Amino acid sequence: GRVAMMAFVGAAAAEKVSGETVAQQFGDSPAAVAGFVALIALASFAPHLRGSDMDPKNGWEALKGNVFTDISAIEAWNGRAAMIGLVALLALERSGSAFFG
């Protein structure tokens, strides 16, 4: 989820700045894309490496019970939306259009 969230924002921003599609960005610098994914994955596991509990369902008791304030539900929906957005971005570019075209 987090990788998809950051990938969507990064890909859209890079397309806006450079004018290159996501496929062109990946083709031009696959090592940078792989490094980005590795960095986000490492950051996602940083609390676990420090010995903290990574399950978003634990803690934040006052916010549970409401779909709009439950941290784990929000995180899951944001991840799903980003995954759909990334696939939609790739499909749009594959059809010949650009996101910022």
Side-chain angles (χ1 to χ4, degrees):
R2 289 183 183 131
V3 171
M5 289 181 222
M6 296 304 297
F8 178 77
V9 171
E15 182 178 320
K16 177 69 174 167
V17 171
S18 70
E20 291 185 330
T21 66
V22 175
Q24 290 171 328
Q25 294 171 37
F26 187 76
D28 289 347
S29 53
V33 174
F36 174 77
V37 170
L39 182 65
I40 297 299
L42 180 63
S44 295
F45 287 106
H48 181 66
L49 296 174
R50 295 181 58 207
S52 298
D53 185 12
M54 288 184 50
D55 189 357
K57 293 178 183 172
N58 297 333
W60 302 90
E61 297 301 327
L63 300 176
K64 290 185 180 175
N66 183 341
V67 71
F68 298 107
T69 59
D70 186 354
I71 300 297
S72 62
I74 292 169
E75 180 95 11
W77 281 108
N78 284 343
R80 290 175 187 138
M83 289 177 214
I84 292 169
L86 194 55
V87 168
L89 181 65
L90 291 169
L92 179 69
E93 290 177 353
R94 185 75 174 147
S95 72
S97 300
F99 186 65
F100 290 108

